[in-house]
Amino acid sequence: KTIPYYDELIYSSELFVRTPNIESFFGYDVKYTQDKWNVNFSEKVGLNTEVSTTSVINYLEQLSKQNVKLGSEKAKKIYGFLIHATLNHFHVSKFTTTPLIYLYKTRKWYKVDQLFWNDYSKVFENDFGYCELSFDSYYKRFFTEIGVKENPDTTFLVSF
């Protein structure tokens, strides 16, 4: 759904209702509604009305699309939230179709199939991203849950 935002039309998933929780989490990095919107109406048209798995993934999509460079604290805050979130198939599929994983050491956005958890840069150089270079083991469960492989499998190594 597209809705008017000042002098442009934007997708409703790109607009956030300003609440203390949303403002605390996202800061000034998102587009907020101009006025106080009714929460029920806002939800019906697809606006982000709370800090949720969906709103955080919407936020990642915006950052990736704009190729925003995140600092380590911001990246850890975002993925730290997702560690404790309930991810459904739709959420997980977003990480495979869209570059939603930001590695602040390389300053690049990646899709799941462009990453390994362990550092294989001696083999693949910069052809892939390596999560362990940007995140400690606390984040590993989240990344493997969305499909990041710890290591390349043997057939992949042989064919590379």
Side-chain angles (χ1 to χ4, degrees):
K1 300 173 192 166
T2 57
I3 55 175
Y5 182 77
Y6 292 100
D7 59 349
E8 63 180 316
L9 287 176
I10 65 169
Y11 291 107
S12 59
S13 63
E14 297 176 7
L15 193 59
F16 290 74
V17 175
R18 188 181 299 270
T19 67
N21 286 343
I22 286 179
E23 195 167 355
S24 171
F25 189 87
F26 299 108
Y28 297 104
D29 295 339
V30 298
K31 295 176 180 175
Y32 288 106
T33 55
Q34 298 170 19
D35 301 311
K36 291 237 180 218
W37 286 37
N38 177 288
V39 173
N40 289 337
F41 173 75
S42 299
E43 289 173 348
K44 284 181 182 164
V45 297
L47 303 184
N48 297 289
T49 60
E50 62 183 351
V51 180
S52 66
T53 305
T54 300
S55 68
V56 171
I57 290 173
N58 289 342
Y59 178 55
L60 285 171
E61 285 181 300
Q62 290 175 45
L63 295 172
S64 174
K65 187 167 60 171
Q66 298 167 10
N67 198 26
V68 171
K69 307 299 182 206
L70 301 177
S72 65
E73 285 185 36
K74 183 76 142 190
K76 288 177 179 180
K77 180 179 183 178
I78 293 167
Y79 299 112
F81 174 86
L82 292 173
I83 285 171
H84 302 290
T86 301
L87 298 173
N88 61 34
H89 177 73
F90 176 74
H91 296 133
V92 172
S93 70
K94 290 279 201 170
F95 288 92
T96 61
T97 59
T98 310
L100 298 182
I101 303 164
Y102 184 78
L103 300 184
Y104 54 88
K105 293 284 185 177
T106 60
R107 301 179 58 75
K108 290 183 181 177
W109 290 91
Y110 298 90
K111 292 188 276 186
V112 164
D113 65 352
Q114 298 169 313
L115 295 167
F116 296 107
W117 175 262
N118 293 318
D119 179 10
Y120 274 79
S121 59
K122 290 181 180 166
V123 176
F124 301 121
E125 297 177 351
N126 294 325
D127 292 335
F128 293 90
Y130 312 101
C131 298
E132 75 172 350
L133 299 179
S134 293
F135 297 96
D136 61 39
S137 61
Y138 175 74
Y139 299 87
K140 185 176 183 178
R141 189 191 65 142
F142 165 73
F143 287 111
T144 55
E145 185 178 331
I146 62 169
V148 173
K149 293 182 178 180
E150 271 191 72
N151 305 302
D153 57 33
T154 308
T155 55
F156 184 79
L157 283 169
V158 170
S159 69
F160 194 77

